[in-house]
Amino acid sequence: MTTTDLAQRFQIPAKTLAGWACDGTGPRYARLGRHRRYRLADVRVWEHQRPEVEPVRVRRSLR
């Protein structure tokens, strides 16, 4: 999977994945030149290892 594919799967910006890769907290990936590629099996393992987190609700201020 490309970074764009994975960002769409998680519904997050691609820059978040870049940060996770830098921190070593994201799914395992392989470097092909200057591109990161993710195996679906590694992504699924990473997803199952993460704790369940409730979505954050954003309050919109009423004007």
Side-chain angles (χ1 to χ4, degrees):
M1 301 175 81
T2 66
T3 300
T4 302
D5 295 335
L6 194 56
Q8 289 175 351
R9 178 184 177 92
F10 292 156
Q11 298 179 357
I12 60 172
K15 285 189 175 189
T16 300
L17 288 171
W20 290 350
C22 185
D23 295 342
T25 57
R28 228 171 90 172
Y29 63 90
R31 285 291 240 186
L32 298 174
R34 56 183 210 170
H35 303 282
R36 285 187 309 275
R37 294 294 184 259
Y38 299 88
R39 288 183 352 160
L40 183 56
D42 292 332
V43 171
R44 287 182 175 159
V45 167
W46 182 83
E47 288 173 334
H48 290 291
Q49 290 175 344
R50 295 187 47 85
E52 291 292 322
V53 178
E54 294 203 19
V56 176
R57 296 179 189 248
V58 178
R59 290 180 55 189
R60 296 181 187 201
S61 61
L62 300 174
R63 295 179 189 212

